[in-house]
Amino acid sequence: MDAINQFLTEQFGPMGSLMAAGFLGVVMILITLPFLLKKDDDPLDKLKKSTKAAQRGEENKEALRAKQRNDKLAKYSQFLEPKTEEELQGMKLKLMQAGYRDRDAVRYFHFAQFALGIGFLILGVIYYIVFLSGGETNTQQTLMYILGPGAAGYMLPKYWVTRRQGARQEEITNGFPDALDMMLVCVEAGQSMDQAILRVSGEIRASYPSLADEFEIVSHEMKAGKDKTAVLNDMAERAGVQDVASFVTVLNQSQSFGTPISDALRVYAGEMRDKRVMRAEEAANKLPTKMTLATMMLTVPPLLIILVGPSVHGISMLGNMGQH
């Protein structure tokens, strides 16, 4: 052991033994992790497979019920899904608002976190061994170079989903006033609300695909016979935008009180246009404040150099002449 320790110290510096132990620990974790995470087959599933007639019926039902699910990820569902139902539903909603509607979206998300975290951790270890092992680095720097990439890889999927969620909500907010205007035109032309939603989804797809997808989902669910109130509430939950939630409330109230939908759409579409103008004015008013810092950083230093530079040069020349 002393010889091995001495060899590691000579090759990788004072932290050689600690690096070797950490690398060995990562390798052991990667080897044993598939065995620990593998989910055993349910005895009830084995019993179902033993019966031929029941097996065919159960397989057909399962294929229809769990279509487009990844069976390989299902083996590790206990590790790739949150433990509580509240956290699971919250993550599903967040991914849905970001545009990921796949049934295995939560599992893919946690698998991406785990894979990128381990991958970046290994890259950090390799980078430290190859480039920094011979130099003088303290324990804090070593942990930063090794654990820093792993933490960054683990947080990268969360950052990506948050950015996608914000971009999608902004797209829906920007396209919603135009969609309401087109919907009002369709309803006043004699189309029903279902036909108007389907027509609007096709018209705005080129400009606002996320909003078009939401309207298309609403149209398909209404055609399938789902309650209109529940369909609209689901759309507001998937969008995560206050304007859409207010629109859903207006439609539900119009349906409950029996008022014409065209009148409600006309009033709400006007409010959305005014609100869009207010958002544009707010952004325009913020622009001078945002440009102030850039203007000071890019304009004031060159101006000072132009104005003060010749005077400084003249003073320095006079000083040199006085010395001579």
Side-chain angles (χ1 to χ4, degrees), residues 80-323:
L80 297 177
E81 289 183 356
K83 300 300 181 181
T84 62
E85 185 67 20
E86 183 178 357
E87 293 180 358
L88 179 60
Q89 295 300 326
M91 182 55 64
K92 283 184 178 180
L93 179 60
K94 186 177 181 66
L95 292 172
M96 193 177 298
Q97 291 178 354
Y100 300 104
R101 300 188 184 90
D102 192 271
R103 294 184 177 183
D104 291 324
V106 178
R107 296 177 182 175
Y108 284 124
F109 173 76
H110 288 287
F111 176 76
Q113 281 190 318
F114 175 76
L116 290 177
I118 295 296
F120 278 55
L121 180 63
I122 295 175
L123 291 178
V125 172
I126 294 175
Y127 175 80
Y128 184 83
I129 292 176
V130 174
F131 296 101
L132 302 175
S133 60
E136 294 294 334
T137 56
N138 53 28
T139 305
Q140 184 177 1
Q141 293 177 343
T142 303
L143 295 177
M144 182 183 68
Y145 283 115
I146 294 177
L147 299 181
Y154 182 80
M155 297 301 296
L156 185 61
K158 187 176 182 179
Y159 172 77
W160 173 260
V161 170
T162 303
R163 288 291 301 272
R164 281 291 302 270
Q165 181 185 13
R168 189 171 182 272
Q169 290 177 348
E170 184 178 0
E171 179 184 336
I172 292 175
T173 302
N174 294 333
F176 199 61
D178 295 335
L180 286 181
D181 290 336
M182 284 187 282
M183 193 178 301
L184 176 60
V185 172
C186 294
V187 171
E188 290 183 342
Q191 290 185 340
S192 64
M193 192 64 186
D194 301 350
Q195 294 173 344
I197 290 175
L198 184 60
R199 179 63 181 271
V200 169
S201 67
E203 293 292 336
I204 66 174
R205 180 166 296 279
S207 302
Y208 307 103
S210 299
L211 184 58
D213 291 339
E214 294 297 334
F215 281 146
E216 188 175 1
I217 292 174
V218 169
S219 177
H220 290 330
E221 288 182 347
M222 287 182 179
K223 288 181 180 180
K226 193 174 180 179
D227 183 62
K228 184 179 294 186
T229 302
V231 170
L232 294 175
N233 290 332
D234 292 342
M235 182 185 71
E237 187 177 8
R238 289 194 305 269
V241 178
Q242 183 60 37
D243 294 342
V244 179
S246 301
F247 168 72
V248 169
T249 303
V250 169
L251 289 186
N252 290 336
Q253 290 178 353
S254 176
Q255 183 179 2
S256 300
F257 296 116
T259 57
I261 296 179
S262 59
D263 295 342
L265 283 176
R266 186 180 298 106
V267 174
Y268 195 73
E271 293 180 357
M272 288 295 100
R273 287 194 297 270
D274 296 339
K275 194 172 182 180
R276 179 168 59 182
V277 173
M278 292 174 62
R279 284 198 299 266
E281 292 178 351
E282 182 182 359
N285 293 330
K286 289 181 179 179
L287 188 60
T289 305
K290 294 180 179 179
M291 292 180 61
T292 301
L293 181 61
T295 303
M296 292 179 61
M297 293 178 61
L298 300 177
T299 304
V300 175
L303 184 62
L304 291 177
I305 294 174
I306 294 173
L307 296 178
V308 182
S311 301
V312 173
H313 180 69
I315 293 172
S316 62
M317 292 293 293
L318 291 176
N320 294 331
M321 291 176 61
Q323 291 178 1

Side-chain angles (χ1 to χ4, degrees), residues 43-56 59:
L44 293 178
D45 294 336
K46 295 180 180 180
L47 183 61
K48 290 177 183 179
K49 292 180 181 179
S50 63
T51 58
K52 295 182 179 179
Q55 179 184 6
R56 294 174 182 174
E59 286 179 354

